[in-house]
Amino acid sequence: TDGVQRIRGLAGSGKTIVLALKVAYLHASHPDWLIAVTFNTRSLKKQFENLITTFVREQTNEEPDWDKVRIMNAWGAPGGKDRTGIYYEFCRDHGVEYFDFKSAGKFGSDGQFEGACDVALQSAKGFVPKYDAILVDEAQDFAPNFLLLCYEYLKNPKRLVYAYDELQNLGKGSLPPVEDIFGKNPDGTPRVVLQPEEPEKSPVLQKGRC
């Protein structure tokens, strides 16, 4: 779908596979799009590489163009393509202060990344749309403002897909409603609304049974 899509499901319900399939489909359909896949657990990078490669081959008989499909950690750091991340690139492209894990300690032991993202969003003088689509796995492990950062980094129509398990979050609570995450328009209406009549924008994955 165009716009924001929220995917919920318990561990083992296939969220990572669904995201990889989406990337492969979008890349095959729109090879000129710049697509980012991001996550919290570093070991997911190799898994995404393998899944996306397999699914793209099935659809196009070709290898993915890794200049257009970028698999990266959420935080990231200077040091080249293998170390970059969504947050680091956002800071670099917007000319705002970047915090690594150590320097972000000023935001508290449980708020390093949330504080760093908050400074980046507040310091940007104008958002620079870069990506055509961003897909976020393990969204339950991030503060909501990281999803807002991804949203502001997107070209219209803001194709943001995030998947999460409400029962496996590293923080203290579940993700809030989209109306709270993405804020309001100048006229007071929500920027993002997931309508009940559009279930494809908020699917719930079910675990299979033997």
Side-chain angles (χ1 to χ4, degrees), residues 27 53 56-57 60-66:
H27 183 52
T53 297
V56 170
R57 284 174 179 168
T60 67
N61 293 318
E62 297 178 354
E63 297 291 314
D65 181 351
W66 297 115

Side-chain angles (χ1 to χ4, degrees), residues 75 87 99-119 143 145:
W75 198 313
Y87 162 72
F99 293 89
D100 59 18
F101 184 78
K102 182 178 180 180
S103 61
K106 63 185 288 186
F107 303 117
S109 59
D110 294 327
Q112 291 98 330
F113 195 45
E114 180 177 8
C117 288
D118 189 53
V119 170
N145 65 355

Side-chain angles (χ1 to χ4, degrees), residues 118-153:
D118 189 53
V119 170
L121 287 165
Q122 296 297 325
S123 300
K125 300 189 183 306
F127 296 114
V128 181
K130 179 174 184 176
Y131 288 95
D132 295 282
I134 297 177
L135 297 91
V136 182
D137 202 359
E138 305 180 316
Q140 74 277 355
D141 293 344
F142 300 117
N145 65 355
F146 175 66
L147 295 176
L148 177 60
L149 184 147
C150 292
Y151 185 83
E152 302 294 10
Y153 214 6

Side-chain angles (χ1 to χ4, degrees), residues 3-206:
V4 173
Q5 184 181 44
R6 176 183 64 188
I7 300 174
R8 292 170 288 173
L10 298 176
S13 58
K15 297 184 295 296
T16 298
I17 292 175
V18 168
L19 291 182
L21 280 166
K22 282 181 172 289
V23 172
Y25 172 77
L26 292 173
H27 183 52
S29 302
H30 307 278
D32 58 319
W33 282 10
L34 184 59
I35 301 170
V37 187
T38 190
F39 39 82
N40 182 58
T41 305
R42 291 185 180 182
S43 60
L44 274 180
K45 182 172 184 177
K46 191 62 179 178
Q47 184 178 358
F48 268 118
E49 286 178 353
N50 292 337
L51 289 171
I52 292 170
T53 297
T54 298
F55 296 148
V56 170
R57 284 174 179 168
E58 288 177 353
Q59 296 194 49
T60 67
N61 293 318
E62 297 178 354
E63 297 291 314
D65 181 351
W66 297 115
D67 289 329
K68 293 297 185 179
V69 177
R70 308 188 61 193
I71 304 172
M72 64 181 81
N73 190 264
W75 198 313
K81 186 176 180 180
D82 291 337
R83 290 176 53 82
T84 194
I86 290 287
Y87 162 72
Y88 168 72
E89 283 197 352
F90 182 94
C91 292
R92 184 193 63 196
D93 291 346
H94 290 82
V96 300
E97 184 178 5
Y98 163 79
F99 293 89
D100 59 18
F101 184 78
K102 182 178 180 180
S103 61
K106 63 185 288 186
F107 303 117
S109 59
D110 294 327
Q112 291 98 330
F113 195 45
E114 180 177 8
C117 288
D118 189 53
V119 170
L121 287 165
Q122 296 297 325
S123 300
K125 300 189 183 306
F127 296 114
V128 181
K130 179 174 184 176
Y131 288 95
D132 295 282
I134 297 177
L135 297 91
V136 182
D137 202 359
E138 305 180 316
Q140 74 277 355
D141 293 344
F142 300 117
N145 65 355
F146 175 66
L147 295 176
L148 177 60
L149 184 147
C150 292
Y151 185 83
E152 302 294 10
Y153 214 6
L154 283 161
K155 302 174 184 176
N156 286 324
K158 303 289 188 180
R159 301 178 187 91
L160 174 65
V161 181
Y162 65 97
Y164 70 102
D165 177 357
E166 291 180 308
L167 300 182
Q168 285 196 340
N169 59 313
L170 296 180
K172 297 181 180 179
S174 180
L175 286 172
V178 294
E179 294 85 351
D180 295 339
I181 295 175
F182 302 105
K184 296 181 179 181
N185 294 306
D187 63 0
T189 58
R191 298 174 76 190
V192 177
V193 178
L194 300 179
Q195 301 287 1
E197 62 270 22
E198 297 179 302
E200 73 279 0
K201 289 192 175 183
S202 186
V204 179
L205 304 184
Q206 305 294 332

